[in-house]
Amino acid sequence: DNYRQSLALAKDARTATNLGVALLWNGNPDGAIQALQRALEIDPNYEWADYYLGVSLARKHEFEKAEEALDNALKLRPEFPEAEFYRGLVYAGQGRFQQAEPDLYAAVHSRPDAAATHYYLGSVLMRLGKEKEGESELEISRRLDPGFKPGQSMNPLGSSDGDQPTSGRTSPQ
């Protein structure tokens, strides 16, 4: 695999993280995890590496490890709507809907224009028996993006150019 060669050359956390994101985007979560772990070896305080590690682990349904990585990202950067959103998805993926609810509400508050935030919050609220609130969130999601499909994006909170971590508001700093 060529990525292993690139990973060996990565001397900074951002480069290793970008490689991990590219691998994840191209359907290689195992390679992504290796690259992101390398990024965290280089800089254990790089919150974007923890975030994308959590996303990668969640993609493999390794929810406990994903939760740990996302918790680390939020410790490093408490105002991190992407990490709150994905941690909410991780909780929901484990059937922990009451824990998912506050993270998904925070994501809606941070990104009220993202259909995904409303969709997943609405789904969790429905699972919690809060039909009126859930249906309201689902309707907002449909209004914002009638073509939205769950799981269509690695970064449902929206970056402008295909979920690359170097774009827009979701950019690693």
Side-chain angles (χ1 to χ4, degrees), residues 120-133:
Y120 289 108
L121 174 60
S123 297
V124 163
L125 291 170
M126 297 293 280
R127 295 296 296 259
L128 290 171
K130 300 177 181 181
E131 286 85 12
K132 185 177 177 184
E133 298 98 323

Side-chain angles (χ1 to χ4, degrees), residues 39-139:
L40 290 166
E41 288 172 11
I42 295 168
D43 183 356
N45 295 316
Y46 191 51
E47 73 276 10
W48 284 99
D50 272 314
Y51 166 70
Y52 281 111
L53 179 60
V55 172
S56 300
L57 291 163
R59 287 288 172 97
K60 294 186 66 180
H61 299 269
E62 294 183 25
F63 293 126
E64 288 179 22
K65 291 178 183 178
E67 182 181 338
E68 183 180 327
L70 294 165
D71 285 344
N72 286 338
L74 284 160
K75 285 177 191 162
L76 293 168
R77 183 174 153 198
E79 298 295 318
F80 198 164
E82 294 85 359
E84 288 174 316
F85 177 78
Y86 254 94
R87 188 173 65 181
L89 293 183
V90 166
Y91 289 148
Q94 298 175 82
R96 296 163 54 196
F97 301 111
Q98 288 198 329
Q99 285 179 286
E101 183 181 9
D103 279 347
L104 295 174
Y105 265 118
V108 164
H109 178 73
S110 296
R111 299 284 166 70
D113 59 340
T117 61
H118 293 281
Y119 174 85
Y120 289 108
L121 174 60
S123 297
V124 163
L125 291 170
M126 297 293 280
R127 295 296 296 259
L128 290 171
K130 300 177 181 181
E131 286 85 12
K132 185 177 177 184
E133 298 98 323
E135 195 51 54
S136 175
E137 293 297 328
L138 293 171
E139 178 57 34

